[in-house]
Amino acid sequence: MTTDHPLVHRYLTAFEEALAATAPDDRADIVAEIRQHIADAQAAGRTLDDILNALGPVDALARQAGLSARVVQGLLMELELDGKVWRHPGGSVSLR
């Protein structure tokens, strides 16, 4: 399975639409970064369902934190890959 999978395509399209207010170059960089995170997680043996569930609703989390989606996503992805946080349905996150 690759990042060309229809589920990944739909997720990234919706994510890009959620970043509509972001400058086009920044938006493209952010989407490319998320695409790479998905590919890296797949290469590490994670299932696509787990990966997409772990990504959760980035826009809602970014709004709550008052940070850009890019900053929040990057920080959470690092914490998740380091095994320091759990992602839960609905986009909530907790420490492990």
Side-chain angles (χ1 to χ4, degrees):
M1 200 171 301
T2 69
T3 58
D4 295 330
H5 190 279
L7 289 175
V8 174
H9 178 73
R10 280 193 299 261
Y11 183 88
L12 291 175
T13 299
F15 182 64
E16 188 169 6
E17 289 171 3
L19 296 172
T22 306
D25 288 343
D26 291 340
R27 185 171 53 242
D29 289 345
I30 294 166
V31 172
E33 185 175 323
I34 298 305
R35 183 183 312 276
Q36 186 60 50
H37 283 303
I38 292 170
D40 292 346
Q42 285 180 304
R46 300 214 31 212
T47 68
L48 186 55
D49 286 340
D50 286 345
I51 296 165
L52 296 181
N53 286 331
L55 287 172
V58 174
D59 57 338
L61 186 57
R63 278 195 313 271
Q64 291 173 358
L67 300 172
S68 71
R70 181 179 189 162
V71 171
V72 171
Q73 184 60 43
L75 293 171
L76 286 175
M77 186 60 64
E78 287 178 32
L79 290 170
E80 185 177 10
L81 292 173
D82 288 343
K84 296 179 180 177
V85 298
W86 291 97
R87 299 265 189 149
H88 305 284
S92 63
V93 180
S94 64
L95 295 174
R96 285 188 178 206

